[in-house]
Amino acid sequence: MINKNAPHPLYHQVKNLIEEKIISNEWPKGFQIPTEKELAKRFDVSTITVKRAILDMVHEGLLYRQRGKGTFVTSKRETDLQSLVTLKHDAEDEVKHPHRMLGFERINANPLIGKKLDIDEKDEIFKISRVKLNGKKPVVIEHTYLPTELFSGLSEEMLQDELLYSVLQNNFGFELDQAKIYFSTLTANFEEAELLNVPEGEQLFVIERTTRTKDGTLVEYSKFIIRQEEYQFYIDVTI
Amino acid sequence: MINKNAPHPLYHQVKNLIEEKIISNEWPKGFQIPTEKELAKRFDVSTITVKRAILDMVHEGLLYRQRGKGTFVTSKRETDLQSLVTLKHDAEDEVKHPHRMLGFERINANPLIGKKLDIDEKDEIFKISRVKLNGKKPVVIEHTYLPTELFSGLSEEMLQDELLYSVLQNNFGFELDQAKIYFSTLTANFEEAELLNVPEGEQLFVIERTTRTKDGTLVEYSKFIIRQEEYQFYIDVTI
């Protein structure tokens, strides 16, 4: 297995062996890999070599560590960004969209939200905050801002376990047409860490979205704060 | 300006005042804002209130801090992700694509690269590493993997200050058709920190891309490691 006379460093070979196990699904997503000591014995190399290989693979995102538990094969769910702005669901999603409601308020906008929604900063908006659940696990904090002028009659009940886009289309008859999506990250503050059940300071993925209807009206601005280990986002692009 | 009898916290009002200055461009991108002491005096509030407002805005990405220098208005360049996979450049880009070459080697693939390029892990590939420069500033580390079988005659010179896609199309006649783009982040290790001139441990944005030609051949896999304060990526999507 390991060739100790090969020209490239030993830990490269160890990495390759581990990668093979992951790619062949011998070690599937979420699998807890053996300890460094066990791997060193199995590959007949030092634990320092194994440690170096694993550190590299954690850095590259193939493995992740949970303090006090061990090292696991990364199990992000590949998610087409297009699904963030689509109304068609796949069979799995058809059923339910469990959310925990955090807040549903009517407030005045501020300069930032005013700019995002192209309204006056003093205009009234709905601010809706929810946590999206995967089973019982919190995975995304969703903050949504809607001009109240466009949403008279909106109630907390309408949003119960519903996707926002369904409500916009089915309850208010908006013909959604274009979305603009921004990517960034942020460091979890105390509140975000609590809500997503991650350590404070954890790096989180952020997606911001604004949506326009066919006649060009800006109807919503949302900010999604996402646990990184849950989703691997991608897009398919035609060149 | 500040209404001390308003129902919402004072620091919200301070945030709003600062946001207004940013949005109106009175404080443009890259502008160094006054110190907390100066702002407290100007708004007639405590420095604790100002500090709280600024911390919030740093958290939200509107401001950033440079140790020992001060607090600045964020000045990310809005970049359409589509531009990562397009061959049309805007006027500004037409001129040059300055890159610093880090490495140009022929090596055997490994299980991971083999899987990305849909080739055998022992097949020979070109591994090309470059740093993209914005003026003299390093902004992106680019690692590119190409099957040598498809690129006989590829030389370091061909890539000099050129976009990879131009070389693929102009020097090798590939009709590029589809790209798949993944988003993630990583924590800068020592080498990445050195190359991008950021502190070790800094959070970096990662984009991975694979590209297919019209006949479905996978011709390249690239990994872009990007300074977060340089780019704000977005996509426009039709719903």
Side-chain angles (χ1 to χ4, degrees), chain B residues 29-202:
Chain B
K29 291 179 173 188
F31 179 81
Q32 178 169 11
I33 72 167
T35 64
E36 288 169 6
K37 219 169 156 180
E38 283 161 14
L39 289 174
K41 202 173 161 193
R42 187 186 300 197
F43 297 144
D44 188 24
V45 297
S46 71
T47 55
I48 291 175
T49 300
V50 171
K51 198 188 284 292
R52 175 78 195 270
I54 287 176
L55 274 179
D56 243 43
M57 295 177 75
V58 169
H59 180 68
E60 289 164 5
L62 283 168
L63 299 174
Y64 70 96
R65 291 187 136 152
Q66 279 203 304
R67 219 174 306 159
K69 290 194 181 163
T71 305
F72 299 82
V73 179
T74 301
S75 61
K76 292 179 177 182
R77 198 203 297 198
E78 283 209 7
T79 304
D80 189 340
L81 263 170
Q82 199 80 26
S83 72
L84 266 181
V85 290
T86 191
L87 288 156
K88 300 168 217 113
H89 315 133
D90 45 40
E92 180 208 4
D93 278 357
E94 204 91 41
V95 208
K96 269 225 153 127
H97 301 280
H99 281 81
R100 181 156 78 84
M101 185 66 75
L102 300 173
F104 181 94
E105 342 166 55
R106 295 171 87 108
I107 55 173
N108 293 324
N110 58 40
L112 194 67
I113 303 294
K115 194 186 174 206
K116 297 275 185 192
L117 286 173
D118 200 14
I119 58 175
D120 191 87
E121 64 175 81
K122 302 271 181 247
D123 284 358
E124 203 188 45
I125 54 165
F126 284 108
K127 179 182 177 189
I128 302 149
S129 297
R130 306 192 291 172
V131 175
K132 183 177 184 172
L133 305 170
N134 183 357
K136 292 196 167 174
K137 196 165 162 188
V139 287
V140 183
I141 304 171
E142 302 181 2
H143 297 295
T144 295
Y145 306 87
L146 308 169
T148 52
E149 202 190 2
L150 300 176
F151 290 91
S152 97
L154 179 69
S155 70
E156 215 173 312
E157 288 66 38
M158 285 180 193
L159 289 159
Q160 203 65 51
D161 293 339
E162 266 299 348
L163 290 181
L164 181 70
Y165 270 18
S166 305
V167 176
L168 264 53
Q169 199 171 56
N170 301 337
N171 299 52
F172 292 91
F174 286 120
E175 288 189 85
L176 306 178
D177 186 42
Q178 292 283 335
K180 188 165 186 175
I181 296 176
Y182 285 94
F183 312 93
S184 57
T185 62
L186 61 72
T187 304
N189 63 18
F190 177 77
E191 191 198 350
E192 289 149 359
E194 287 272 297
L195 288 172
L196 292 178
N197 195 19
V198 295
E200 206 177 328
E202 179 95 343

Side-chain angles (χ1 to χ4, degrees), chain A residues 137-152:
Chain A
K137 195 167 166 189
V139 287
V140 183
I141 304 171
E142 303 182 0
H143 297 296
T144 295
Y145 305 88
L146 308 168
T148 53
E149 200 191 1
L150 300 176
F151 290 91
S152 98

Side-chain angles (χ1 to χ4, degrees), chain A residues 20 121 177 179 185 228 237, chain B residues 20 121 179 185 228 235 237 239:
Chain A
E20 262 163 24
E121 66 174 81
D177 185 43
T185 61
Q228 288 220 67
V237 188
Chain B
E20 262 162 25
E121 64 175 81
T185 62
Q228 288 221 65
I235 48 168
V237 188
I239 298 163

Side-chain angles (χ1 to χ4, degrees), chain A:
Chain A
M1 297 165 75
I2 294 272
N3 169 7
K4 296 204 176 175
N5 299 315
H8 35 276
L10 228 48
Y11 83 89
H12 277 187
Q13 294 182 56
V14 172
K15 269 181 76 172
N16 284 353
L17 289 170
I18 298 176
E19 281 173 17
E20 262 163 24
K21 288 183 191 298
I22 294 173
I23 285 164
S24 69
N25 242 11
E26 185 184 335
W27 290 357
K29 289 179 174 188
F31 179 80
Q32 178 169 10
I33 72 168
T35 64
E36 288 169 6
K37 220 169 155 180
E38 282 163 16
L39 288 174
K41 201 172 161 194
R42 187 186 301 195
F43 297 144
D44 188 24
V45 296
S46 72
T47 55
I48 291 177
T49 301
V50 170
K51 196 186 284 289
R52 173 80 195 268
I54 286 177
L55 273 181
D56 242 42
M57 294 177 76
V58 169
H59 179 70
E60 288 164 5
L62 283 168
L63 299 174
Y64 69 97
R65 292 187 136 152
Q66 278 204 305
R67 218 175 306 157
K69 291 194 180 162
T71 304
F72 300 82
V73 179
T74 300
S75 61
K76 291 180 177 182
R77 197 202 298 195
E78 283 208 6
T79 304
D80 190 339
L81 264 171
Q82 199 80 28
S83 73
L84 266 182
V85 290
T86 193
L87 287 156
K88 301 167 217 111
H89 316 132
D90 46 39
E92 178 207 6
D93 278 355
E94 204 92 41
V95 210
K96 270 230 153 122
H97 302 278
H99 282 81
R100 181 158 78 82
M101 185 67 75
L102 300 174
F104 180 92
E105 342 166 56
R106 296 170 85 107
I107 56 172
N108 294 324
N110 58 39
L112 194 68
I113 303 295
K115 193 186 176 203
K116 298 274 187 194
L117 285 173
D118 200 14
I119 59 175
D120 190 88
E121 66 174 81
K122 302 274 181 241
D123 284 358
E124 202 188 45
I125 54 165
F126 285 108
K127 179 182 177 190
I128 302 149
S129 297
R130 307 192 291 172
V131 175
K132 185 177 183 172
L133 305 169
N134 184 357
K136 294 196 166 175
K137 195 167 166 189
V139 287
V140 183
I141 304 171
E142 303 182 0
H143 297 296
T144 295
Y145 305 88
L146 308 168
T148 53
E149 200 191 1
L150 300 176
F151 290 91
S152 98
L154 179 69
S155 71
E156 216 173 311
E157 289 65 39
M158 285 180 192
L159 289 159
Q160 205 63 53
D161 293 339
E162 266 299 348
L163 290 181
L164 181 69
Y165 270 19
S166 306
V167 177
L168 264 53
Q169 200 170 56
N170 302 336
N171 299 52
F172 293 90
F174 287 120
E175 288 189 85
L176 306 178
D177 185 43
Q178 291 284 334
K180 186 163 185 174
I181 297 176
Y182 286 92
F183 311 94
S184 57
T185 61
L186 62 72
T187 305
N189 63 17
F190 176 76
E191 192 199 349
E192 289 149 359
E194 286 273 295
L195 288 171
L196 292 178
N197 196 20
V198 295
E200 207 177 328
E202 180 96 342
Q203 209 66 19
L204 302 170
F205 206 74
V206 178
I207 288 178
E208 290 171 89
R209 178 184 77 187
T210 51
T211 308
R212 288 182 191 274
T213 57
K214 282 223 161 46
D215 65 5
T217 312
L218 262 167
V219 289
E220 70 106 29
Y221 163 60
S222 291
K223 187 169 184 173
F224 301 93
I225 302 170
I226 302 163
R227 279 177 71 145
Q228 288 220 67
E229 70 274 37
E230 287 298 322
Y231 298 100
Q232 165 81 71
F233 288 105
Y234 70 89
I235 49 168
D236 284 307
V237 188
T238 300
I239 297 163

Side-chain angles (χ1 to χ4, degrees), chain B residues 222-234:
Chain B
S222 292
K223 188 169 183 174
F224 302 92
I225 302 171
I226 302 163
R227 279 177 71 145
Q228 288 221 65
E229 71 274 34
E230 287 298 322
Y231 298 99
Q232 165 80 71
F233 287 106
Y234 70 88

